[in-house]
Amino acid sequence: MTALEKATGDVVLKFEPFVLHVLCRELQDAQLLHSVAVDSGFRNSGITVGRGGKIVMAVRSTHCLEVPLSHKGKLMVSEEYIEFLIHIANQKMEENM
């Protein structure tokens, strides 16, 4: 709260979820891993094929959180709400583990 009170710009609470990048030898390997990831609840997962043929499978969770707290130095939410957001972010961190 002390840091928020001193802020002069915009402040955002942001939680970014688990991400795992796996370099795959074959496209079929990446497709299999993608299917397993999506079936396991990692719905934001995807496959990238680079110009050099490098195949990367990214396993991504959907447990993101991004909430503005202040604008131009003015706190837009209550301390109680910030405590609630921190609780939610900590729950999401536990889900990541």
Side-chain angles (χ1 to χ4, degrees):
M1 290 307 298
T2 303
L4 282 173
E5 291 167 3
K6 293 179 182 178
T8 57
D10 295 351
V11 176
V12 175
L13 174 69
K14 186 171 185 179
F15 174 83
E16 295 201 7
F18 167 81
V19 177
L20 172 67
H21 291 100
V22 180
L23 183 61
C24 299
R25 290 182 190 200
E26 303 288 333
L27 183 57
Q28 295 84 353
D29 298 331
Q31 290 170 327
L32 177 61
L33 181 56
H34 182 264
S35 294
V36 171
V38 170
D39 290 345
S40 297
F42 295 97
R43 294 184 301 270
N44 285 351
S45 299
I47 300 170
T48 304
V49 180
R51 289 184 186 170
K54 183 167 85 171
I55 303 165
V56 177
M57 168 50 203
V59 180
R60 293 190 198 103
S61 172
T62 57
H63 299 109
C64 58
L65 178 69
E66 187 169 354
V67 183
L69 302 178
S70 71
H71 179 64
K72 296 182 181 177
K74 181 182 178 200
L75 189 60
M76 305 300 288
V77 297
S78 69
E79 184 174 347
E80 180 182 6
Y81 185 66
I82 292 170
E83 290 173 8
F84 170 74
L85 290 174
I86 290 169
H87 176 74
I88 297 296
N90 286 335
Q91 282 181 327
K92 290 178 181 293
M93 180 63 83
E94 288 297 320
E95 291 173 17
N96 269 335
M97 291 183 192

